[in-house]
Short mmCIF file of all heavy atoms in Angstrom, two decimals:
data_model
loop_
_atom_site.label_atom_id
_atom_site.label_comp_id
_atom_site.label_asym_id
_atom_site.label_seq_id
_atom_site.Cartn_x
_atom_site.Cartn_y
_atom_site.Cartn_z
N ARG A 234 -0.72 8.89 6.22
CA ARG A 234 -1.86 9.22 5.42
C ARG A 234 -1.42 9.49 3.93
O ARG A 234 -2.06 9.04 3.02
CB ARG A 234 -2.59 10.52 5.94
CG ARG A 234 -3.30 10.29 7.25
CD ARG A 234 -4.07 11.56 7.66
NE ARG A 234 -4.77 11.36 8.90
CZ ARG A 234 -4.45 11.94 10.06
NH1 ARG A 234 -3.38 12.77 10.11
NH2 ARG A 234 -5.18 11.70 11.17
N LEU A 235 -0.31 10.20 3.74
CA LEU A 235 0.21 10.40 2.41
C LEU A 235 0.57 9.09 1.74
O LEU A 235 0.32 8.88 0.51
CB LEU A 235 1.43 11.31 2.45
CG LEU A 235 1.19 12.81 2.76
CD1 LEU A 235 2.50 13.54 2.93
CD2 LEU A 235 0.40 13.43 1.62
N GLN A 236 1.12 8.16 2.52
CA GLN A 236 1.49 6.89 1.98
C GLN A 236 0.23 6.08 1.58
O GLN A 236 0.26 5.36 0.57
CB GLN A 236 2.35 6.05 3.00
CG GLN A 236 3.72 6.66 3.14
CD GLN A 236 4.60 5.83 4.09
OE1 GLN A 236 4.14 5.13 4.96
NE2 GLN A 236 5.93 5.92 3.90
N VAL A 237 -0.80 6.13 2.45
CA VAL A 237 -2.06 5.43 2.12
C VAL A 237 -2.59 5.98 0.84
O VAL A 237 -3.07 5.24 -0.04
CB VAL A 237 -3.01 5.63 3.25
CG1 VAL A 237 -4.42 5.11 2.85
CG2 VAL A 237 -2.60 4.81 4.53
N THR A 238 -2.61 7.30 0.71
CA THR A 238 -3.12 7.91 -0.56
C THR A 238 -2.38 7.44 -1.78
O THR A 238 -3.02 7.16 -2.79
CB THR A 238 -3.00 9.50 -0.45
OG1 THR A 238 -3.72 9.94 0.72
CG2 THR A 238 -3.56 10.13 -1.68
N HIS A 239 -1.09 7.28 -1.65
CA HIS A 239 -0.29 6.86 -2.80
C HIS A 239 -0.55 5.36 -3.09
O HIS A 239 -0.69 4.95 -4.21
CB HIS A 239 1.22 7.05 -2.48
CG HIS A 239 2.10 6.92 -3.63
ND1 HIS A 239 3.32 7.53 -3.72
CD2 HIS A 239 1.99 6.19 -4.80
CE1 HIS A 239 3.91 7.19 -4.88
NE2 HIS A 239 3.10 6.41 -5.54
N ILE A 240 -0.65 4.57 -2.03
CA ILE A 240 -0.81 3.10 -2.18
C ILE A 240 -2.11 2.75 -2.86
O ILE A 240 -2.16 1.93 -3.76
CB ILE A 240 -0.67 2.40 -0.82
CG1 ILE A 240 0.78 2.51 -0.25
CG2 ILE A 240 -1.12 0.96 -0.93
CD1 ILE A 240 0.90 2.10 1.21
N LEU A 241 -3.16 3.44 -2.43
CA LEU A 241 -4.49 3.10 -2.97
C LEU A 241 -4.76 3.52 -4.39
O LEU A 241 -5.77 3.25 -4.97
CB LEU A 241 -5.57 3.69 -2.06
CG LEU A 241 -5.66 3.10 -0.61
CD1 LEU A 241 -6.81 3.68 0.16
CD2 LEU A 241 -5.78 1.58 -0.69
N GLN A 242 -3.74 4.28 -4.98
CA GLN A 242 -3.88 4.65 -6.40
C GLN A 242 -2.94 3.81 -7.26
O GLN A 242 -2.89 4.08 -8.48
CB GLN A 242 -3.47 6.14 -6.55
CG GLN A 242 -4.47 7.10 -5.83
CD GLN A 242 -4.02 8.51 -5.98
OE1 GLN A 242 -4.16 9.06 -7.04
NE2 GLN A 242 -3.53 9.15 -4.90
N MET A 243 -2.27 2.83 -6.72
CA MET A 243 -1.32 2.04 -7.50
C MET A 243 -2.05 0.98 -8.28
O MET A 243 -3.17 0.57 -7.97
CB MET A 243 -0.31 1.36 -6.52
CG MET A 243 0.59 2.36 -5.84
SD MET A 243 1.71 1.54 -4.63
CE MET A 243 2.59 0.39 -5.65
N SER A 244 -1.37 0.51 -9.33
CA SER A 244 -1.95 -0.47 -10.28
C SER A 244 -1.32 -1.83 -10.15
O SER A 244 -1.79 -2.79 -10.83
CB SER A 244 -1.80 0.01 -11.73
OG SER A 244 -2.43 1.21 -11.93
N ASP A 245 -0.29 -1.98 -9.29
CA ASP A 245 0.42 -3.31 -9.08
C ASP A 245 -0.17 -3.93 -7.87
O ASP A 245 0.15 -3.57 -6.70
CB ASP A 245 1.89 -3.03 -8.92
CG ASP A 245 2.71 -4.33 -8.87
OD1 ASP A 245 2.14 -5.37 -8.59
OD2 ASP A 245 3.90 -4.29 -9.14
N LYS A 246 -1.07 -4.97 -8.03
CA LYS A 246 -1.76 -5.57 -6.86
C LYS A 246 -0.82 -6.24 -5.87
O LYS A 246 -1.01 -6.12 -4.71
CB LYS A 246 -2.76 -6.62 -7.36
CG LYS A 246 -3.65 -7.17 -6.29
CD LYS A 246 -4.70 -8.14 -6.84
CE LYS A 246 -5.67 -8.61 -5.70
NZ LYS A 246 -4.96 -9.23 -4.57
N LEU A 247 0.24 -6.86 -6.40
CA LEU A 247 1.15 -7.56 -5.49
C LEU A 247 1.85 -6.59 -4.52
O LEU A 247 1.94 -6.81 -3.35
CB LEU A 247 2.21 -8.36 -6.29
CG LEU A 247 1.70 -9.60 -7.02
CD1 LEU A 247 2.78 -10.24 -7.87
CD2 LEU A 247 1.11 -10.60 -6.04
N ARG A 248 2.30 -5.44 -5.13
CA ARG A 248 2.94 -4.46 -4.31
C ARG A 248 1.98 -3.74 -3.40
O ARG A 248 2.30 -3.45 -2.23
CB ARG A 248 3.63 -3.40 -5.24
CG ARG A 248 4.82 -3.97 -6.06
CD ARG A 248 5.37 -2.91 -6.95
NE ARG A 248 6.12 -1.91 -6.14
CZ ARG A 248 6.49 -0.73 -6.67
NH1 ARG A 248 6.19 -0.41 -7.90
NH2 ARG A 248 7.18 0.11 -5.95
N VAL A 249 0.72 -3.51 -3.83
CA VAL A 249 -0.27 -2.90 -2.98
C VAL A 249 -0.55 -3.77 -1.81
O VAL A 249 -0.65 -3.28 -0.63
CB VAL A 249 -1.54 -2.59 -3.77
CG1 VAL A 249 -2.66 -2.13 -2.88
CG2 VAL A 249 -1.29 -1.53 -4.83
N ASP A 250 -0.74 -5.06 -2.04
CA ASP A 250 -1.05 -5.95 -0.89
C ASP A 250 0.14 -6.03 0.07
O ASP A 250 -0.08 -6.15 1.25
CB ASP A 250 -1.33 -7.36 -1.45
CG ASP A 250 -2.70 -7.45 -2.18
OD1 ASP A 250 -3.48 -6.44 -2.07
OD2 ASP A 250 -2.93 -8.39 -2.92
N LEU A 251 1.32 -5.99 -0.48
CA LEU A 251 2.53 -6.02 0.38
C LEU A 251 2.55 -4.80 1.29
O LEU A 251 2.79 -4.87 2.47
CB LEU A 251 3.78 -6.14 -0.49
CG LEU A 251 5.11 -6.03 0.26
CD1 LEU A 251 5.34 -7.28 1.14
CD2 LEU A 251 6.26 -5.97 -0.76
N LEU A 252 2.31 -3.62 0.61
CA LEU A 252 2.31 -2.38 1.41
C LEU A 252 1.18 -2.27 2.44
O LEU A 252 1.36 -1.71 3.52
CB LEU A 252 2.31 -1.20 0.45
CG LEU A 252 3.50 -1.09 -0.51
CD1 LEU A 252 3.33 0.04 -1.45
CD2 LEU A 252 4.81 -0.95 0.32
N LEU A 253 0.05 -2.86 2.08
CA LEU A 253 -1.09 -2.89 3.06
C LEU A 253 -0.63 -3.78 4.27
O LEU A 253 -1.03 -3.48 5.42
CB LEU A 253 -2.35 -3.44 2.44
CG LEU A 253 -3.03 -2.47 1.49
CD1 LEU A 253 -4.20 -3.20 0.79
CD2 LEU A 253 -3.50 -1.22 2.18
N ASP A 254 0.09 -4.80 4.04
CA ASP A 254 0.63 -5.68 5.15
C ASP A 254 1.52 -4.81 6.06
O ASP A 254 1.50 -4.96 7.27
CB ASP A 254 1.35 -6.86 4.61
CG ASP A 254 0.44 -7.94 4.04
OD1 ASP A 254 -0.78 -7.92 4.44
OD2 ASP A 254 0.90 -8.78 3.26
N TYR A 255 2.34 -3.96 5.47
CA TYR A 255 3.23 -3.09 6.24
C TYR A 255 2.37 -2.16 7.10
O TYR A 255 2.70 -1.90 8.26
CB TYR A 255 4.17 -2.29 5.34
CG TYR A 255 5.18 -3.11 4.60
CD1 TYR A 255 5.79 -2.59 3.49
CD2 TYR A 255 5.52 -4.39 5.05
CE1 TYR A 255 6.71 -3.31 2.76
CE2 TYR A 255 6.49 -5.11 4.29
CZ TYR A 255 7.04 -4.58 3.19
OH TYR A 255 7.94 -5.31 2.46
N LEU A 256 1.32 -1.63 6.50
CA LEU A 256 0.45 -0.76 7.28
C LEU A 256 -0.26 -1.42 8.38
O LEU A 256 -0.45 -0.84 9.48
CB LEU A 256 -0.66 -0.10 6.35
CG LEU A 256 -0.18 0.86 5.32
CD1 LEU A 256 -1.27 1.25 4.33
CD2 LEU A 256 0.40 2.11 6.01
N ARG A 257 -0.58 -2.70 8.24
CA ARG A 257 -1.10 -3.44 9.32
C ARG A 257 -0.14 -3.58 10.53
O ARG A 257 -0.58 -3.68 11.70
CB ARG A 257 -1.54 -4.91 8.84
CG ARG A 257 -2.73 -4.90 7.89
CD ARG A 257 -3.13 -6.32 7.59
NE ARG A 257 -4.29 -6.39 6.66
CZ ARG A 257 -4.19 -6.43 5.35
NH1 ARG A 257 -2.96 -6.53 4.75
NH2 ARG A 257 -5.25 -6.46 4.60
N GLU A 258 1.10 -3.62 10.18
CA GLU A 258 2.14 -3.66 11.23
C GLU A 258 2.23 -2.31 12.04
O GLU A 258 2.68 -2.33 13.21
CB GLU A 258 3.51 -4.04 10.66
CG GLU A 258 3.61 -5.46 10.01
CD GLU A 258 3.44 -6.55 11.00
OE1 GLU A 258 3.69 -6.32 12.19
OE2 GLU A 258 3.06 -7.67 10.63
#
C-alpha cells in the first residue's frame, strides 16, 4: 500500500507503468 501511494504520485510515466507491471505480478 505504501508503494502504491508513492507510485501514483510520480511524474515519470515510463517508470510508473513499469512499477504498475510489477504490482500486477
Side-chain angles (χ1 to χ4, degrees):
R234 289 184 181 111
L235 287 174
Q236 290 184 333
V237 170
T238 302
H239 193 154
I240 292 169
L241 295 184
Q242 296 180 71
M243 293 173 62
S244 300
D245 186 339
K246 185 177 187 302
L247 290 177
R248 293 178 71 195
V249 171
D250 289 346
L251 176 66
L252 296 177
L253 286 175
D254 285 340
Y255 294 159
L256 289 173
R257 290 185 179 94
E258 297 293 338

